[in-house]
């Protein structure tokens, strides 16, 4: 089943994000390589402006896990947590309706 992770950043997270980005992406690539990621990406603070200039508010990840417990265990090991980028993470089951697969 898919689970959506809505990850909220701490204020002024840009420097910590950039310093930890490669490790964060490596963690995510394990799921990508296994074909388990539906979508993933950061949320800039301001639409239409360079995130490198305005920073980020958070990230959204939707990926396939066997259970909510497995999903929560995976996100807890994300390097952005250890680096203090994420201040809050909401994990919820997700059902894909569109596009139909």
């Amino acid at each position: 089943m898919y689970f959506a992770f809505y990850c909220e950043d701490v204020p002024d997270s840009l420097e910590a994000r950039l310093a930890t980005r490669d490790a964060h992406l490596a963690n995510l690539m394990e799921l990508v390589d296994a074909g388990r990621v539906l979508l993933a990406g950061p949320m800039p603070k301001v639409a239409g402006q360079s995130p490198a200039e305005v920073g980020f508010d958070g990230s959204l990840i939707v990926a396939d896990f066997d259970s909510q417990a497995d999903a929560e265990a995976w996100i807890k090991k994300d390097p952005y947590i250890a680096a203090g980028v994420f201040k809050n993470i909401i994990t919820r089951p997700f059902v894909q309706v569109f596009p139909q697969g």
Side-chain angles (χ1 to χ4, degrees):
M1 164 167 242
Y2 285 116
F3 289 86
F5 303 93
Y6 176 73
C7 309
E8 294 179 280
D9 279 20
V10 298
D12 302 315
S13 64
L14 184 58
E15 186 176 324
R17 268 183 171 270
L18 294 176
T20 317
R21 185 173 188 265
D22 288 344
H24 166 73
L25 293 178
N27 184 49
L28 193 53
M29 282 306 296
E30 293 177 16
L31 294 181
V32 170
D33 291 344
R36 295 171 47 195
V37 173
L38 182 63
L39 63 91
M43 296 180 290
K45 284 185 180 181
V46 180
Q49 294 188 17
S50 168
E53 295 174 13
V54 298
F56 297 92
D57 277 336
S59 296
L60 177 66
I61 301 166
V62 180
D64 184 33
F65 292 89
D66 291 333
S67 68
Q68 181 134 359
D70 289 346
E72 290 172 354
W74 176 81
I75 196 65
K76 285 180 183 175
K77 70 175 184 136
D78 191 280
Y80 277 175
I81 292 175
V85 173
F86 294 151
K87 71 176 177 180
N88 187 42
I89 299 171
I90 299 170
T91 306
R92 296 287 186 267
F94 178 84
V95 176
Q96 180 184 1
V97 175
F98 293 107
Q100 296 174 339

